[in-house]
Amino acid sequence: MAERSAIAQDYPAADWHALPSEAVAELLSTSEHGLSPESVAARLARYGPNQLPEAPPPSDLELILHQFRSPLVLILMAAGVATIVLGKYVDTAVIAAVLVINATVGFIQERRAERAARALMRLLTPHARVVRNGQERDIESVDLVPGDVVLLESGMRVPADLRLTSTTALQIDESLLTGESIPVAKQAGVLAAEVPATDRTNLAYLGTIVVSGRGRGYVVATGERTQLGAIAASLRDTGTTANPLEIRLKRFSRVIGIAVGIAAAIAFVIGVLLGESPTDMFLVAVALAVASIPEGLPIAFTITLALGVQRMARRNAIIRRLPAVETLGSTTVIGSDKTGTLTENRMTVQQIWANGRHFQVAAGENLTGELLADGIPTPLVEQPTVAQLLITAILTNEAEVYRTHDGFATQGDPTEAALLVAAARLGLEPEQVRDRYDLLTDLPFEPERQYSASVRLHDGAAWLFVKGAPERILAMCDAQARDDGLAPLDLGEVHAALDAMAADGLRVLGFASVRLPHPPPTEMPLPELRGLHFLGLAGMMDPPRPGVREAIANCRDAGIRVIMITGDHAVTARAIGAQLGLAGRDALVVTGTQLAAMSDAELDEVVRRASIFARVSPDQKLRIVQALRRRGEVVAVTGDGVNDAPALRAADIGIAMGKSGTDVAREASSMILADDNFVSIVAAVEEGRITFDNLRNVTFFLVSTGAATVLAILTALTLRWPIPFLPTQLIWLNVVTNGLQDVALAFEPGERGVLRRRPRPRTEGLLSRTLWERTIVAGIVMGIGTLAMFWWELNQSGSLTQAQTVALTTMVIFQMFQVGNSRSERLSVFQKSPFSNPFLFIATTAALLIHIAALYFPPTQFVLRVEPISLDAWLRIIPVAATIIVAMEIHKLIRRPRPDRPGSGGRRFVPAAVGSPGPAQTG
Ligand code: ATP
């Protein structure tokens, strides 16, 4: 490998863990400001992309062979062999042609599906945060080169092998490499050269997971040269779980295969008993088998699913596991995060409460603004408690704010960025403040902890600063800072202020600080922070995303309950919930604290009623998901953090965020929202329903027409009539005329009302009871209609060829009408414009024209043993075939599901306030 030798030559056997970070930087010709673009380009050319060799796509030969593995094709092949033995070479040729056509179409489709899947996978390429040319940025991990400076934070997969140069409470799960699932604490110090690879705590390895904390390091190896590369195998979970739809299709094929076998055997026995020659009867049995096998089903399925996945991707829902397409359609509950999914995650600090007063932050142009007390501007210097609160906000903050030529830009967590912007607007420059307070140690924000902290040295004294969820911060405080000194903590006063802000839907953070005794600590005084002085609250606005209110209303119509599962405060959650129409202003809100005290049985009862869960931890989210599933709900749930992974896996559909989510959450999910937006979940549900409808329609079409031919043949046999179809004619029906139309059904656009139905029961099979019933009705009508035409023609003309041609043509026309009937399970064929699915219109016309041509074209006349039929015959065929429309319309009328109107579903949206046991707790 060129790359391998280049690195080996450049950095001969470097023991990165035994070198101080400066030496590492020197060896790699880099610095803490990162590489320059030129240097990156040169290194990329020299060392190659940072990726492990992928499994090559299946070869053409493998794909072609794969086409012959379906049980249905195997039956066809057996039939082909039988015709050779019997010397019926024309039939052999036809069957061979069918097999070739079938394999070619299947091959082309699978190649396309695979290419589409790869393209989708490309949307999911892993990213890495790097510092290059002194600037932090997000790049695709494949572009990493040795010497790059990489930043790590919780939830990320380590994108290359790194020598860590700084860490903050960094814990990494290395089970991928070591099998040991307890996370390893990492640090940046130098280790002895002889420390074995598994104990090199200052290295982070490609593919391992950052469980918590932050880190920074130099890339020392990329791609194959990494530890993971050395193990060689790509261990990543690529979502290859067995696909229930495939299983269902296999099972369905098996049932059909057995039915075919039995029908053929019955036909054979009846025929022989009635005195037919066994050879002829064998051919009839073969014909029957060919007639009843829905050869088109696997191809139509592949196309339908591929189209569904593509349509979802266009609506920002990227499917990672194929079964999700089907499950989405039967979703009954969506559990959604609030911040970023229901809301925009664009925060602006609007209010500050400190020194017993409410202040407003008025934003001006760019980074200017004013602090208002009762609407009157007041300079920050006159409000020392507010100033101390803002300093705390800056010092416990990992975000950045920059001035740009047309305003400003921020980087990092929106909550933190909003605080920096507010401080800058009120005249406190984050950079200057950070320079004045030297960092001793810090604790970055993690959702489980609900706060962030830092210890800083200022004027020779050490200070501890914290910001976070107000309840958490208040629990650390024993006094309250006021402009005129310390006062005892007045919890009543603080909670009143907090509730007032939260009731406006503001996201509220609390702040505290304290001067630490001498000597300054070098580590965070954990686990319990105590004795702090409470500074006050900041409330920020995070507007609801446009379209979410409507999407929630659509869910209600669709029989889907939406519940909010948030880490935020109960009052804020309720206010936002009310704005979004998720629940009433006095809705029952269950908090994490209440939830922790509930037994599973109590929780099962509560999840039925509550629509908002607040201050919930990730493990409680898992409990909620489990409780809902115990109730038989089909649950889709969103998540973004590392610890959300179990809940995402436990749900029927785990949904991760494409923009803000962590790698871990994404890998645990079955669907990813490219735009983090709740609206896209509802779009995906809609597409899921459409896709399932199409699968169902194709199946109904193929099975009902197959049943009709089988019925016609069996009846003719029993009545001792000649057989109405020859084997080649059946193949013609099944593969050519039907084959064109079944694939086109996959392109059926969704019905307008799909989101107004109730969810399909999870246990319902590919065909519902109603559809099985309809299949039988259709089979009988088409079978009898065809036989009647056959009998009439035989008696009139006395020519078997004429009669068989008429029977065949009748079936072709029946199919044309039946494909129209199959476009919708519930809508009348007259409610659907023939042009709304142009593919189907073209396919149907083509099938008809090809069939007519075949009647006149000598070679097809010879192979199919058909001849032109009279105009009279056509005039009889068309009205007879039209009876299938009448029959299906009547059946649709009788068996029409209750009207698709909002709330008509059996599962109703339960207003959360019903039975609410009084006002919600505020945590
Ligand atoms: P959701 O779960 O709907 O996304 P959330 O963002 O409020 O909501 P978390 O990110 O789990 O949930 O945050 C939990 C709580 O921690 C927040 O409500 C807030 O009080 C506090 N918090 C959030 N971000 C920070 C931060 N950067 N620093 C300090 N505290 C924070």
Side-chain angles (χ1 to χ4, degrees), residues 337-339 413 416 445 447 467-469 507 509 566-568 615:
D337 283 344
K338 172 178 70 72
T339 313
D413 175 5
E416 305 209 325
F445 173 74
K467 77 165 194 315
R507 176 181 175 83
L509 292 194
T566 177
D568 212 337
R615 283 284 189 252

Side-chain angles (χ1 to χ4, degrees), residues 803-821:
Q804 285 177 331
T805 309
V806 166
L808 181 66
T809 308
T810 310
M811 258 324 281
V812 169
I813 307 295
F814 263 134
Q815 281 177 355
M816 275 183 61
F817 290 141
Q818 180 65 350
V819 83
N821 292 329

Side-chain angles (χ1 to χ4, degrees), residues 128-131 136-137 149-153 156 159 162 215-217:
R129 274 210 87 65
V130 294
V131 177
E136 220 181 292
R137 64 182 70 168
V149 176
V150 168
L151 306 176
L152 297 179
E153 68 178 54
M156 282 183 177
L162 310 177
R216 183 183 172 112

Side-chain angles (χ1 to χ4, degrees), residues 479-552:
Q480 197 165 333
R482 294 200 180 261
D483 288 355
D484 52 5
L486 282 183
L489 191 59
D490 182 347
L491 281 180
E493 182 193 45
V494 180
H495 276 297
L498 168 59
D499 284 352
M501 287 159 105
D504 287 342
L506 297 183
R507 176 181 175 83
V508 186
L509 292 194
F511 301 81
S513 64
V514 72
R515 193 179 154 150
L516 296 171
H518 216 70
T522 50
E523 276 184 17
M524 192 60 67
L526 288 177
E528 283 300 314
L529 298 176
R530 295 195 173 283
L532 277 80
H533 305 155
F534 190 69
L535 295 166
L537 306 164
M540 45 195 102
M541 186 63 203
D542 178 16
R545 279 182 182 271
V548 167
R549 210 187 145 85
E550 294 74 18
I552 289 177

